[in-house]
Amino acid sequence: MAIATNTTTNYDVTGNREDLSDMVWTLDDFETPVLSAIKKTKAKSVTHEYQTDAIGAAASNKKLEGDDNGDATDLVATTRLANTCQIMGYKPQVSGTQEKGMDHAGVRSEMAYQEAKYMKKIKKDMERAILDGDAGLAVGNAKVAGNTTTAREMASLNTYLTTNVSVGATGAAATGDGTDVMTTGTDRDITEALLTAVLATTWTAGGDPSMLVVSATNKGVVSSFAGGSTRYVDTNTKELVHSIDVYVGDFHTLKVVPSRQLVGDNAYTIDPEYLALAELRSLHSYDLAKTGDNFKREMVWEATLEVCNEAAHGIIADTNG
């Protein structure tokens, strides 16, 4: 097969206009299920302190009729904990030519597009910092007070958990005040027995978690638990369904929530009522002074995690997820 001699083709012409779609296809993976579920509260200093307490176990309680014992009840003081406010931020900067001179494809303003994108990204950063720490490590992130050369860091959720903790062989929980991290144990598969054990201690402690936060791999494993092993066909859609979105156990009913920001080794049982994001400065953005032929904005979020009572939550660590 051949073409006639001197036929002008697309390959020979330089004057054809480009064909650029008027759309920017951004992969939208910014879901933050934990951040979206927990409460918001106000921090008033870079070190945010709060108190936790528990009623205590039931005890033998009987008194004589007409008792006149003057001894007061032995009171137990509250536990005072703290976390450090971490500053997160991005600074998009666009040249004057790109912002005002060019014919943009897919966006009206390059600066507005970049700002919207990084507003979503900073929320992903906060989700990761809450679950496994700023560095995204399964052992968690200990708080850092910071100084003029070191950025402040908030402690992650797993550094406060001590009551309802399941770890692999040789693993250990942190001390529970955000100053140190977990000790890595031997990896094992997440099982329904491990989940039930954590939920049992949580129930005994008075906790009532409503979320099971897992990685993508562990979401698939949870869907194979005995309670969801029956496959069925949805008669409306004619689709084969084999997935657990709500896990009903002996002690709690949990919404199974996969989080893209969760390190695969950990699975959390969470009660959103007992977690809060304490904001010293809420997420906001502002224009920076012009220092040249460009436009600059800065977005800032200064906040920390408040683990209102660690016994309300649980963790299954060292999984193969």
Side-chain angles (χ1 to χ4, degrees), residues 224-248:
S224 69
F225 285 174
S229 61
T230 302
R231 297 182 179 223
Y232 65 92
V233 174
D234 186 317
T235 56
N236 292 321
T237 63
K238 300 186 185 304
E239 293 178 348
L240 180 65
V241 178
H242 182 46
S243 175
I244 297 179
D245 291 319
V246 176
Y247 175 80
V248 181

Side-chain angles (χ1 to χ4, degrees), residues 46-267:
V46 295
T47 298
H48 177 66
E49 296 185 281
Y50 54 96
Q51 299 178 85
T52 66
D53 202 359
I55 295 175
S60 176
N61 190 338
K62 50 186 180 289
K63 296 177 70 68
L64 293 172
E65 181 178 339
D67 176 50
D68 195 25
N69 189 334
D71 293 339
T73 301
D74 184 16
L75 300 181
V76 179
T78 60
T79 300
R80 186 167 176 170
L81 294 171
N83 206 348
T84 303
C85 287
Q86 179 172 326
I87 302 174
M88 295 183 177
Y90 289 106
K91 187 173 71 174
Q93 182 168 321
V94 179
S95 72
T97 300
Q98 177 61 29
E99 179 66 10
K100 296 296 186 181
M102 304 302 291
D103 183 12
H104 306 119
V107 298
R108 293 185 178 182
S109 162
E110 184 67 27
M111 175 58 78
Y113 171 74
Q114 294 296 334
E115 184 178 13
K117 181 173 72 173
Y118 282 101
M119 279 289 188
K120 293 178 179 179
K121 189 176 185 306
I122 201 171
K123 292 180 180 179
K124 291 173 58 177
D125 298 342
M126 184 62 77
E127 176 94 350
R128 187 175 77 163
I130 289 171
L131 290 173
D132 288 320
D134 188 58
L137 301 176
V139 293
N141 191 78
K143 60 187 177 184
V144 176
N147 52 46
T148 56
T149 58
T150 303
R152 296 193 303 272
E153 297 179 38
M154 69 184 228
S156 55
L157 171 59
N158 47 1
T159 65
Y160 288 94
L161 302 185
T162 60
T163 302
N164 312 307
V165 177
S166 173
V167 294
T170 72
T175 56
D177 60 1
T179 59
D180 64 345
V181 299
M182 301 180 69
T183 301
T184 302
T186 304
D187 280 354
R188 67 269 169 83
D189 291 332
I190 188 172
T191 65
E192 193 165 8
L194 291 176
L195 175 59
T196 299
V198 167
L199 292 176
T201 60
T202 307
W203 182 85
T204 301
D208 189 21
S210 59
M211 297 174 65
L212 173 59
V213 184
V214 292
S215 66
T217 299
N218 280 339
K219 175 65 168 69
V221 177
V222 170
S223 290
S224 69
F225 285 174
S229 61
T230 302
R231 297 182 179 223
Y232 65 92
V233 174
D234 186 317
T235 56
N236 292 321
T237 63
K238 300 186 185 304
E239 293 178 348
L240 180 65
V241 178
H242 182 46
S243 175
I244 297 179
D245 291 319
V246 176
Y247 175 80
V248 181
D250 293 332
F251 303 97
H252 304 92
T253 298
L254 306 172
K255 182 177 181 181
V256 185
V257 180
S259 174
R260 289 185 173 94
Q261 314 315 320
L262 177 63
V263 173
D265 280 11
N266 297 330

